[in-house]
Structures are given as C-alpha cells and as structure tokens.
C-alpha cells in the first residue's frame, strides 16, 4: 500500500476490483423484493428515521434493467450483483438461495454484495453466505451508521452495538468479507463522535480475539471495506416529519474536511466503497448539493493533494 501512501489518495473499491478481476467491474443495484424487520414490526416499526420508502435503495431495480442502464457506458465490464434495498438476508433460506443463485447465473455477473442488518444473520444464513463465499467473490454490507447507542436509539435502529460486533465476529470467523456502512451528520453527533465510529469499526479484529477459518480461508484482520456518506434528508423518510429543516452539513467544504479526516484514520488496506450519498434529486431535500457526487469526490481528491495526506496516514 506504499504506492497509495505517496499518491495522496485512497483505496477505492473500483480500482481494487479492477486490479483483482483484471477488468472494470460495475455494481448493479438490485431490489431483491425483500422487506425489513425494522418496518414489519419484528424488530421495530417505521424503519430507521432517515430511510426512504425504497429501503435505502432508491436507484435499485432488477438485473436486466440495471444492465440495460449501464452497458452502454461500460460495454466490456463485468458485474457485481449488489442486493441493496431493505434487508437482503431477511427471508427463508430457500428464497435467499434462489435469489442469490439467479443473480450469479446472470451473464456477466462475477460476484455478490449483500446489504443487511447485523441482527439478520442466523446460523443458517451464515452457512448459506459461507457456501456462496466459497464459490464466488462476495462481501456482506452491514448498516451500522454509528457506534453511539444514544444516536442509535434516536434514529430507531433497533439493535445495540454488540449485535454488530457479534455479526462481524461471526462473518470474519467464516472468512466472509465485511463492509461497514456509517453515516456522518446524524442528529446530535459531534464530528469527534463520527470519527470515533470510524476508528472503532476499522480496529484490528484480532485484538478482539476473533479467530477461525472456513475451509482454509483466513480470518481477516480488519473489515474489508467501509462506506461513508453524509446524512441525506429525503422525502418519504420519518426525518422529513421529525426534522423538516435538518441539514447535516452546511457546505461541501465542511463535509470534505470531515471525509479527509476520516480517510486519514482508516488503515490503507480497507477499501472505500463510497464517500457521498446517492439519493436521487427528486427525493433529496438536504443538503441540496449532496447529489453532486463528482464535485464531492473531486473536492476530496484535491484536499488530499493540497494537504499532502492520504488514507491511513494517521491510522493505528
Ligand atoms: S436503513 Fe436498513 S435497517 Fe433501517 S429501515 Fe431502512 S432498510 Fe431497514
């Protein structure tokens, strides 16, 4: 990773996948038709207060539609089927197996990314994920958002931090790569608290005594990746009613400063899956600039260069 440390940049998942697979890999955002236990009353009702009606997958659809949408831009790419909307391990095992297999059988699909809640990983689900992990490239994305219990209650996450820790331990012991999703700018959180969340999820897992292996796959020392973005206030979320005037960051510059500070403390081997939100413009209320993904990313690259810093420079 010394190459990264001298080039004032970060370990972007796109570049990682291109190097690993030898070609451009495009993520297809899939709505697998699942629901969420934080909406149907099993864990809670109403969902996390920031979540849109589409279960945080407003751009997701089915695989053929996604391929049609993206193949003109990247005609020679292969695909990763990203089960994004709602909770993608929340269904009977037979249904999960069928949906994951169908996605993997689609021409050009070379791997799976499965977004879920850490409290939806039963032994049977873990066994199924382990089975797929042995036959394809796979990661599991856990929506944590914050390590702080007070904020977790406020956003109606409906599970405590220890459930996330147990999920990371169980997945890691099976050699299944974990991507952790955090949100910056949740109500009441200071920037120090946000960076504390980053530090915590990026810690050395071996210090927690997490060990094990799955058919000789080594237990990873850290999570595989991290997904970060600013809180978007979107139409149809509970936040629209609870905090109608809420703006998580007053300016792009303020957000970029925090994103750079976060990158500096993320160890360089952890892949960066996102640094900006992806709420579509028609549903986005605030920050009104957050749809400008290219501007935000360019700003982060420029800030890293201007400040002569890089991902992992201050990591422990
Ligand atoms: S953010 Fe995820 S866990 Fe929360 S309500 Fe939406 S789909 Fe469910």
């Amino acid at each position: 990773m010394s190459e990264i440390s001298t080039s004032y940049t970060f370990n972007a998942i796109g570049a990682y996948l291109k190097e690993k697979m030898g070609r451009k890999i495009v993520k297809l955002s899939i709505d697998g038709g699942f629901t969420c236990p934080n909406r149907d009353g099993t864990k809670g009702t109403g969902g996390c207060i920031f979540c849109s009606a589409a279960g945080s997958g407003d751009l997701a659809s089915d695989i053929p539609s996604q391929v049609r949408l993206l193949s003109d831009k990247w005609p020679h790419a292969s695909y990763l089927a990203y089960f994004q909307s709602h909770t993608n391990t929340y269904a009977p095992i037979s249904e999960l197996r069928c949906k994951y297999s169908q996605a993997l059988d689609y021409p050009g699909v070379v791997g799976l990314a499965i977004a879920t809640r850490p409290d939806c990983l039963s032994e049977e689900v873990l066994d199924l994920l382990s089975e797929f992990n042995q036959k394809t490239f796979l990661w599991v994305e856990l929506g944590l958002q914050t390590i702080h219990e007070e904020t977790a209650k406020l956003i109606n996450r409906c599970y405590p931090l220890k459930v996330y820790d147990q999920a990371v331990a169980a997945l890691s012991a099976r050699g299944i790569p974990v991507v952790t999703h955090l949100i910056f700018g949740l109500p009441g959180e200071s920037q120090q608290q946000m960076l504390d969340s980053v530090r915590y999820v990026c810690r050395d897992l071996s210090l927690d005594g997490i060990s094990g292996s799955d058919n000789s796959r080594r237990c990873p020392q850290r999570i595989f990746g991290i997904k970060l973005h600013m809180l978007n206030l979107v139409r149809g979320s509970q936040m629209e009613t609870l905090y109608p005037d809420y703006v998580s960051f007053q300016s792009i510059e303020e957000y970029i400063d925090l994103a750079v500070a976060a990158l500096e403390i993320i160890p360089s081997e952890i892949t960066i899956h996102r640094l900006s939100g992806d709420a579509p413009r028609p549903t986005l209320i605030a920050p009104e600039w957050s749809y400008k993904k290219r501007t935000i990313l360019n700003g982060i690259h420029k800030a890293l260069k201007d400040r002569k810093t890089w991902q992992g420079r201050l990591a422990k």
Side-chain angles (χ1 to χ4, degrees):
M1 220 29 89
S2 57
E3 202 181 309
I4 281 184
S5 66
T6 54
S7 58
Y8 308 135
T9 186
F10 56 86
N11 186 10
I13 184 63
Y16 171 93
L17 289 174
K18 191 166 186 190
E19 194 179 327
K20 181 178 175 67
M21 307 283 193
R23 59 198 175 285
K24 170 82 181 167
I25 305 292
V26 174
K27 255 177 26 178
L28 307 173
S29 295
I30 310 299
D31 180 347
F34 299 104
T35 178
C36 172
N38 198 13
R39 287 180 176 277
D40 70 7
T42 304
K43 303 283 177 181
T45 50
C48 306
I49 63 170
F50 55 82
C51 186
S52 68
S56 298
D58 298 79
L59 298 172
S61 58
D62 55 72
I63 296 188
S65 310
Q66 287 280 301
V67 169
R68 268 197 305 278
L69 201 70
L70 298 163
S71 56
D72 277 354
K73 189 168 178 192
W74 289 291
H76 306 298
S78 294
Y79 305 112
L80 203 67
Y82 172 37
F83 284 88
Q84 181 180 21
S85 305
H86 296 287
T87 302
N88 295 281
T89 59
Y90 186 53
I93 295 295
S94 56
E95 184 183 336
L96 297 177
R97 184 190 298 282
C98 178
K99 287 184 174 171
Y100 300 163
S101 299
Q102 278 177 353
L104 214 44
D105 287 345
Y106 197 88
V109 173
V110 295
L112 298 172
I114 296 170
T116 192
R117 290 171 56 90
D119 57 0
C120 289
L121 293 168
S122 64
E123 281 298 310
E124 293 75 21
V125 168
L126 287 164
D127 288 347
L128 182 73
L129 293 171
S130 195
E131 185 187 314
F132 277 87
N133 188 43
Q134 291 181 37
K135 62 181 175 193
T136 192
F137 180 74
L138 166 90
W139 73 68
V140 172
E141 181 183 305
L142 299 176
L144 177 65
Q145 330 311 352
T146 176
I147 62 165
H148 303 288
E149 303 291 7
E150 207 175 304
T151 318
K153 283 200 186 84
L154 190 141
I155 62 172
N156 195 40
R157 190 180 66 190
C158 291
Y159 71 82
L161 178 63
K162 75 167 189 268
V163 170
Y164 163 82
D165 286 335
Q166 286 161 355
V168 172
L171 290 162
S172 300
R174 289 168 171 80
I176 301 171
V178 174
V179 173
T180 299
H181 181 187
L182 296 178
I183 296 182
F184 286 163
L186 293 168
E189 284 208 346
S190 66
Q191 297 209 346
Q192 198 47 56
Q193 283 180 296
M194 300 173 210
L195 294 175
D196 285 344
S197 288
V198 173
R199 240 178 245 109
Y200 183 85
V201 303
C202 293
R203 73 195 185 281
D204 182 344
L205 298 171
S206 65
L207 299 178
D208 295 6
I210 296 170
S211 63
S213 65
D214 189 343
N215 283 7
S216 82
R217 280 174 194 246
R218 227 165 34 88
C219 182
Q221 196 185 351
R222 298 186 194 273
I223 57 168
F224 167 65
I226 188 165
K227 181 169 159 184
L228 304 170
H229 60 85
M230 73 296 285
L231 175 67
N232 283 326
L233 179 60
V234 295
R235 291 182 216 293
S237 64
Q238 285 194 68
M239 271 199 80
E240 186 185 6
T241 315
L242 294 171
Y243 302 90
D245 301 319
Y246 190 79
V247 182
S248 55
F249 290 87
Q250 295 302 325
S251 67
I252 293 188
E253 291 71 27
E254 185 191 352
Y255 175 71
I256 288 173
D257 281 347
L258 183 65
V260 168
L263 286 170
E264 287 181 318
I265 58 172
I266 299 173
S268 56
E269 68 265 33
I270 294 180
T271 49
I272 307 298
H273 291 238
R274 199 199 286 172
L275 287 169
S276 62
D278 69 348
R281 270 183 94 172
T283 61
L284 176 67
I285 302 172
E288 50 84 24
W289 43 263
S290 92
Y291 71 91
K292 297 179 180 173
K293 282 163 79 168
R294 187 45 56 195
T295 308
I296 295 165
L297 265 185
N298 287 345
I300 291 171
H301 280 293
K302 184 172 182 313
L304 288 170
K305 201 170 163 205
D306 289 350
R307 297 170 202 182
K308 295 189 172 35
T309 191
W310 56 86
Q311 179 187 342
R313 189 178 68 84
L314 302 175
K316 296 208 171 97

